[in-house]
């Protein structure tokens, strides 16, 4: 496995990420980013200059908010019906952007997949994911769903129902905890054959008795994931992709310092 960083266009500079001592990662494209030829050329030359490899381009969308669980349900990914068409189009454009950079995969949060397989939203999202998978396949890419907003068995059944060989999983252990959807280690073992990329993020469970509340993100190693056991499990399942440090706090300086410390922690655990 190789240690990398999850970073965002418009928020992070590639030189700053490379200075953390990594040479690979995942590039996030926010909904507000305009995918012009100049933007593509800028990233192409930056990646060449820094000798940096992107494992994934991650797609986020205009109008998404992660404030609390009901807001996530209402705004994130492919679940909100009113934005499905524009987000499908945007995902195709991000796939094409990634292909032009030679990136072998795209990913996103598709939002909360309903438990009920006959639910209209479930069927519409399944069909949308099939179409995006087919578009990604035409670009030689995988399409990875990020874990956390549903339990591992629901995600596994959704993969099975979708029936596309290039549909994969971006495994984020902290999300399983932040959304209260299950033990991340057990989930990783269950989803292992489908995991194409990994986030190294930590967090604590939602507070008891506060409905709809999310847990709290923590510095890597300071939350409830159990990062040592997580890395051991990655070794156990013979995971050979990238492990990308993700830190989502606003404070820029603190965020970069936390990412640096997380990269060092992962290096130590990887060697053990
Ligand atoms: Mg993540």
């Amino acid at each position: 496995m190789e240690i990398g960083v999850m970073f965002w266009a418009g928020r992070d500079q590639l030189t700053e990420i490379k200075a953390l001592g990594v040479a690979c990662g995942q590039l996030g494209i926010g909904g507000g980013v305009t995918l012009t030829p100049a933007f593509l050329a800028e990233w192409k030359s930056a990646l060449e200059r820094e000798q940096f490899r992107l494992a994934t381009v991650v797609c986020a969308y205009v109008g998404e908010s992660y404030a609390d669980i009901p807001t996530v349900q209402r705004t994130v990914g492919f679940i909100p019906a009113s934005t499905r068409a524009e987000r499908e189009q945007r995902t195709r454009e991000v796939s094409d952007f990634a292909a032009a950079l030679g990136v072998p995969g795209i990913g996103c949060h598709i939002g909360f997949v309903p438990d009920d397989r006959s639910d209209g939203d479930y069927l519409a999202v399944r069909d949308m994911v099939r179409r995006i998978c087919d578009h990604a396949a035409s670009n030689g890419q995988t399409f990875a769903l990020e874990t956390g907003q549903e339990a591992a068995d629901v995600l596994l059944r959704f993969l099975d129902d979708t029936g596309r060989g290039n549909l994969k999983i971006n495994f984020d252990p902290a999300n399983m905890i932040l959304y209260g959807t299950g033990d991340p280690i057990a989930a990783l073992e269950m989803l292992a054959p489908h995991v194409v990329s990994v986030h190294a993020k930590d967090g604590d469970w939602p507070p008891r008795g506060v409905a709809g509340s999310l847990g709290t993100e923590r510095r890597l190693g300071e939350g409830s994931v159990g990062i040592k056991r997580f890395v051991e499990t990655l070794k156990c399942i013979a995971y050979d992709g990238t492990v990308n440090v993700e830190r989502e706090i606003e404070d820029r300086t603190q965020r970069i310092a936390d990412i640096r410390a997380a990269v060092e922690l992962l290096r130590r655990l990887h060697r053990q």
Side-chain angles (χ1 to χ4, degrees), residues 154-183:
V154 174
L155 194 57
L156 207 51
R157 205 180 56 189
F158 181 79
L159 289 189
D160 200 40
D161 283 347
T162 305
R164 291 294 188 272
N166 66 330
L167 185 60
K168 303 288 181 187
I169 288 170
N170 183 82
F171 192 89
D172 186 325
N175 287 349
M176 307 295 301
I177 288 175
L178 299 176
Y179 289 89
T181 42
D183 170 46

Side-chain angles (χ1 to χ4, degrees), residues 6 8 26 58 109 146-147 170-175 198-201 244-248:
M6 168 75 222
W8 290 87
Q26 296 174 298
V58 176
H109 279 282
E146 178 131 355
T147 53
N170 183 82
F171 192 89
D172 186 325
N175 287 349
V198 165
H199 281 172
K201 191 172 81 186
N244 302 280
V245 173
E246 182 176 44
R247 185 72 168 123
E248 294 178 338

Side-chain angles (χ1 to χ4, degrees), residues 181-213:
T181 42
D183 170 46
I185 307 293
L188 176 60
E189 285 167 345
M190 186 189 287
L191 297 171
H194 307 280
V195 174
V196 73
S197 51
V198 165
H199 281 172
K201 191 172 81 186
D202 214 337
D204 286 332
W205 297 90
R208 276 175 206 273
V210 188
S213 177

Side-chain angles (χ1 to χ4, degrees), residues 241-256:
T242 57
V243 179
N244 302 280
V245 173
E246 182 176 44
R247 185 72 168 123
E248 294 178 338
I249 53 168
E250 287 297 322
D251 184 315
R252 219 186 123 65
T253 312
Q254 189 61 51
R255 177 168 162 270
I256 294 293

